[in-house]
Amino acid sequence: MRKKVLAANWKMNLLRNEALDLYSNLDLALLNFQEIETVLFPPSIYISELQTKGNLSLGIQNIYFENKGAYTGEIAAAQAKSIGCTYVLIGHSERRELFLESDDLLKKKVNSALAENLKIIFSCGESLEVRTKKDHLSFVKKQLENSLFHLSEKEILNCIIAYEPIWAIGSGLNASEQQAEEMHSEIRYLLAENYSNKISEQISIIYGGSCNTSNAAQLFACPNVDGALVGGASLDKFSFIELAARLK
Ligand code: PEP
């Protein structure tokens, strides 16, 4: 059976005390949802003050692909692991667009993360322009082929795929159930085609993009939506706990 996953991307938000406060409001509450894997992606400078507990894991929002050396400001996978991370987020559209991260760079980050036994939430998704041209399925297919599908069966099982249409991120305009299910079932088909049905059925595919307490129930009811990667709504403890309750 596939894991249900609820992940929180805090991005570059929250001062230290606010982050510690939010965490302390979530850690015990999330223990009530043992059947869900919850992953928090706080700003990296706070991670060593937080703890992995039960079904609550910590992840880093970004890594560099080199192991160590003269890369001012960057963080290696092994360093993230050494402060308690079990996950890394790779391929977020903000990294792709604002920091010009290419499919090739993302592939190197994927390899580096897995070499250090970090699990990956790999984000993919199309712009509005691509969707308007009805090229969204082939666009996402290329993203996955270019950065993820070189992995072995054993390696891909350490990945969760997040479908995050760029037009839905932070816009208040979520994908409809039909749009989400169309893409999630296509991704599952691609996993079966590149690996096997058995592998495809084991990999969680989560949705991201303005997911909140008003639309989560409909999205989570889609057969191929196994959870969510949440930005804005993850900064409010009540919303995030309610999302966990909806996913349960
Ligand atoms: C995200 O940035 O991954 C995200 C899903 O953000 P939001 O929920 O705010 O759209």
Side-chain angles (χ1 to χ4, degrees):
M1 227 209 14
R2 290 194 294 276
K3 281 180 305 202
K4 291 183 177 181
V5 181
L6 186 65
N9 179 9
W10 291 358
K11 309 192 188 188
M12 198 176 73
N13 293 302
L14 306 174
L15 297 179
R16 176 178 171 271
N17 285 348
E18 295 167 330
L20 296 185
D21 187 50
L22 179 55
Y23 172 81
S24 68
N25 279 293
L26 291 177
D27 63 347
L28 290 179
L30 291 173
L31 286 177
N32 292 319
F33 305 101
Q34 288 296 336
E35 55 279 84
I36 302 174
E37 175 141 15
T38 49
V39 190
L40 301 184
F41 290 98
S44 56
I45 51 171
Y46 308 141
I47 293 173
S48 51
E49 297 189 65
L50 312 180
Q51 281 172 354
T52 290
K53 276 188 198 167
N55 61 331
L56 174 64
S57 299
L58 296 170
I60 191 157
Q61 294 175 20
N62 182 35
I63 53 164
Y64 194 52
F65 66 87
E66 295 285 2
N67 291 336
K68 62 176 173 177
Y71 304 102
T72 302
E74 295 295 325
I75 297 172
Q79 292 176 314
K81 186 97 186 161
S82 76
I83 58 163
C85 290
T86 44
Y87 277 90
V88 57
L89 184 56
I90 297 179
H92 194 282
S93 62
E94 287 154 17
R95 300 287 328 166
R96 291 177 190 263
E97 294 206 315
L98 300 174
F99 301 96
L100 308 180
E101 296 197 351
S102 66
D103 286 350
D104 194 44
L105 177 71
L106 299 177
K107 182 177 181 179
K108 290 179 182 163
K109 291 188 178 199
V110 162
N111 292 340
S112 172
L114 292 173
E116 295 299 334
N117 293 319
L118 279 178
K119 295 182 195 170
I120 295 170
I121 296 188
F122 184 85
S123 185
C124 56
E126 80 288 352
S127 64
L128 191 56
E129 196 189 344
V130 170
R131 178 162 279 271
T132 307
K133 289 189 200 145
K134 299 198 184 334
D135 284 341
H136 48 291
L137 297 179
S138 56
F139 184 86
V140 167
K141 181 178 182 207
K142 266 269 155 288
Q143 287 182 321
L144 296 174
E145 283 173 353
N146 290 346
S147 307
L148 212 58
F149 285 169
H150 63 287
L151 296 177
S152 68
E153 291 194 352
K154 192 167 164 237
E155 288 169 330
I156 195 85
L157 285 170
N158 284 313
C159 299
I160 291 166
I161 299 177
Y163 169 53
E164 299 202 290
I166 301 171
W167 46 271
I169 293 182
S171 66
L173 184 74
N174 60 287
S176 67
E177 297 105 271
Q178 292 77 7
Q179 289 170 324
E181 181 56 24
E182 179 195 40
M183 184 62 82
H184 283 231
S185 60
E186 172 70 8
I187 294 172
R188 195 157 324 278
Y189 166 78
L190 293 172
L191 286 165
E193 195 181 53
N194 282 273
Y195 296 93
S196 66
N197 276 331
K198 191 168 168 224
I199 299 273
S200 166
E201 284 304 321
Q202 284 173 266
I203 295 180
S204 303
I205 305 174
I206 62 178
Y207 168 79
S210 296
C211 179
N212 58 39
T213 52
S214 315
N215 56 36
Q218 294 95 304
L219 288 162
F220 295 163
C222 297
N224 283 293
V225 175
D226 303 313
L229 174 55
V230 186
S234 73
L235 295 171
D236 176 77
K237 62 184 176 203
F238 298 111
S239 298
F240 197 65
I241 292 165
E242 197 176 325
L243 289 175
R246 296 277 162 96
L247 182 59
K248 192 173 165 178

